[in-house]
Amino acid sequence: MKSKIRSPFFYVGDKYKLMPQLEKLFPVNINNYYEPFVGGGSSFLNTEAKNFFLNDINKYVIQLHCYLQSFRESKDKFFESLFRTIKKYGLSCSFLGKIVPDELKKEFIKTYYSRYNKENYMKMREDYNKNKSNFELLYLLLIYGFNHMIRFNLKGEFNLPVGNVDFNKNVYNALNNYFDFSKKNNLNFFNQDYKEFLINRDFEKNDFVYLDPPYLISNSEYNKIWNEKNEEELYQILEDIDNQDVKFGLSNLVIHKDKKNEILLDWMKKYKVYEVNSNYISRFDNTRKINSREVYVTNYEKEKIREKTIIVFNNYEKS
Ligand SMILES: C[S@@+](CC[C@H](N)C(=O)[O-])C[C@H]1O[C@@H](n2cnc3c(N)ncnc32)[C@H](O)[C@@H]1O
């Protein structure tokens, strides 16, 4: 099996680990691929299509995608400049062999990266907040920041603390793969609400819409802005897409911890539903599995998917 491409955003809740399962459920021969909630892009990076239309409401995420796109023909230039900036700020960089001194590693076994980079990271954050058109700094804040997240306060300042990571081989490989994919494919980015992005589209034969929206019943940063009204609206829009004979595939959670998504459970009855094994683990204890059931809901025939050996979701009995 071809190994999967990791997005250089390392997006919280990305679909990277699930792509081996999801890819088999995507339709074959996709003409235009639409992804209204693209996030870091783990899904499109592992999909073949003629053209890609990619959208997210988060303007910083789209700014970063567009910034990286601008180097798809000149990745060496990108890396040269990035490494210069990492050196200028004195950040550690395992990839270049600029590593944290052993004494610090011994003293702070689990937190030495953050200990080492904290002060210089804060200086970089201050500089970015003075000039928000410096996307290279925004990308470095994402890499060196807490949990690889992007977060701004009400004053519009990037406000995440330093993370316990640095620029390593995984980041380098992810960027390299991203540039290679971008060079070979026709990618178009949009920064809109998903409804605007999908409405009035001139869909063509063999187009496919893949949706990984915020999840109503789990609590990532981007899920906080999603409520029951949003959930119902989304399913209405998917009905419209279905009426236009356009294929869609939706990822979502039916159960998470002690919560159930009743709106989804009800709506998905009329579609094909596959179980996706997502193996959520506890944030506080990574040996503890969370009670969670993830599904992939489609409006197209099982015959049109890549592989037939997948588990169809068992009807969930309401208790
Ligand atoms: C579950 S994440 C997608 C993660 C993505 N599949 C990945 O692998 O990185 C959901 C995304 O939806 C975006 N989003 C939230 N509300 C939105 C809206 N109304 N319109 C478009 N995008 C939205 C968030 O910014 C977030 O990036």
Side-chain angles (χ1 to χ4, degrees):
M1 202 201 328
K2 231 169 88 186
S3 62
K4 296 287 158 268
I5 299 180
R6 179 109 217 222
S7 153
F9 285 67
F10 302 93
Y11 217 65
V12 175
D14 73 9
K15 283 282 167 262
Y16 168 66
K17 284 199 184 128
L18 301 186
M19 279 320 287
Q21 294 176 70
L22 290 174
E23 181 206 49
K24 293 174 191 159
L25 299 169
F26 280 12
V28 278
N29 297 328
I30 302 169
N31 179 36
N32 296 314
Y33 172 92
Y34 291 93
E35 196 173 344
F37 304 94
V38 72
S42 293
S43 314
F44 83 79
L45 285 167
N46 291 292
T47 304
E48 281 175 28
K50 227 158 143 193
N51 303 296
F52 293 81
F53 297 89
L54 311 163
N55 177 70
D56 201 285
I57 204 165
N58 186 326
K59 80 169 179 196
Y60 300 103
V61 169
I62 296 301
Q63 279 175 350
L64 278 182
H65 276 294
C66 293
Y67 171 67
L68 294 177
Q69 289 304 308
S70 70
F71 289 97
R72 64 184 181 273
E73 302 285 348
S74 53
K75 61 181 180 185
D76 292 349
K77 224 168 102 190
F78 172 87
F79 285 119
E80 234 172 74
S81 170
L82 197 82
F83 293 147
R84 214 178 310 124
T85 306
I86 289 175
K87 280 185 195 148
K88 176 180 143 193
Y89 282 99
L91 296 161
S92 73
C93 180
S94 322
F95 179 72
L96 293 178
K98 184 174 187 302
I99 48 175
V100 176
D102 282 346
E103 309 85 72
L104 207 66
K105 281 188 177 172
K106 276 187 205 133
E107 195 178 346
F108 303 104
I109 296 169
K110 288 194 172 157
T111 55
Y112 54 85
Y113 283 124
S114 55
R115 293 274 168 174
Y116 185 81
N117 287 322
K118 185 171 174 191
E119 214 173 292
N120 295 334
Y121 170 89
M122 292 307 280
K123 171 79 182 94
M124 184 164 77
R125 192 175 94 174
E126 205 182 299
D127 288 350
Y128 169 74
N129 281 328
K130 281 188 208 139
N131 173 16
K132 300 217 184 54
S133 56
N134 190 335
F135 303 124
E136 184 182 69
L137 288 194
L138 179 59
Y139 184 68
L140 285 175
L141 288 173
L142 169 87
I143 292 305
Y144 285 83
F146 179 72
N147 267 358
H148 295 312
M149 278 161 58
I150 299 177
R151 195 183 68 192
F152 288 81
N153 62 18
L154 289 176
K155 283 194 259 165
E157 291 162 340
F158 189 96
N159 71 349
L160 282 170
V162 68
N164 196 32
V165 280
D166 78 351
F167 191 105
N168 57 29
K169 203 163 185 305
N170 293 340
V171 183
Y172 180 80
N173 289 341
L175 280 164
N176 235 322
N177 290 334
Y178 183 95
F179 289 132
D180 292 347
F181 185 92
S182 309
K183 203 173 158 179
K184 283 194 233 130
N185 290 284
N186 178 22
L187 310 184
N188 304 280
F189 285 93
F190 300 81
N191 176 213
Q192 295 177 320
D193 179 74
Y194 80 96
K195 295 192 283 296
E196 257 174 84
F197 172 73
L198 288 175
I199 278 170
N200 297 331
R201 280 269 166 210
D202 272 332
F203 288 112
E204 296 171 14
K205 195 167 175 254
N206 292 330
D207 282 0
F208 171 56
V209 184
Y210 171 64
L211 308 100
D212 183 27
Y215 297 159
L216 188 64
I217 55 170
S218 75
N219 42 15
S220 286
E221 196 67 21
Y222 45 69
N223 295 343
K224 288 181 188 152
I225 52 166
W226 197 260
N227 58 31
E228 297 190 348
K229 185 170 165 276
N230 299 122
E231 188 83 1
E232 274 162 0
E233 252 171 20
L234 171 66
Y235 298 142
Q236 190 51 55
I237 294 210
L238 288 178
E239 297 289 293
D240 293 346
I241 288 183
D242 186 48
N243 288 335
Q244 295 173 65
D245 262 345
V246 177
K247 296 187 196 84
F248 73 72
L250 168 89
S251 288
N252 214 327
L253 292 176
V254 281
I255 297 171
H256 193 67
K257 297 183 182 168
D258 53 351
K259 292 193 190 138
K260 250 186 276 175
N261 186 338
E262 300 283 8
I263 307 172
L264 169 64
L265 277 161
D266 198 42
W267 170 79
M268 72 188 200
K269 279 185 205 142
K270 70 183 253 210
Y271 294 106
K272 286 151 202 93
V273 184
Y274 304 98
E275 182 110 38
V276 176
N277 185 2
S278 53
N279 273 334
Y280 277 97
I281 45 167
S282 162
R283 251 194 312 158
F284 308 104
D285 170 6
N286 61 14
T287 58
R288 194 162 64 80
K289 264 181 77 177
I290 288 176
N291 176 29
S292 192
R293 285 183 83 177
E294 178 156 346
V295 289
Y296 178 73
V297 185
T298 70
N299 64 339
Y300 48 90
E301 289 309 313
K302 211 171 140 205
E303 290 67 49
K304 295 206 175 114
I305 63 175
R306 286 165 194 272
E307 209 161 283
K308 314 265 154 16
T309 53
I310 27 95
I311 310 162
V312 178
F313 185 74
N314 298 321
N315 266 343
Y316 178 76
E317 292 304 323
K318 287 186 186 181
S319 52

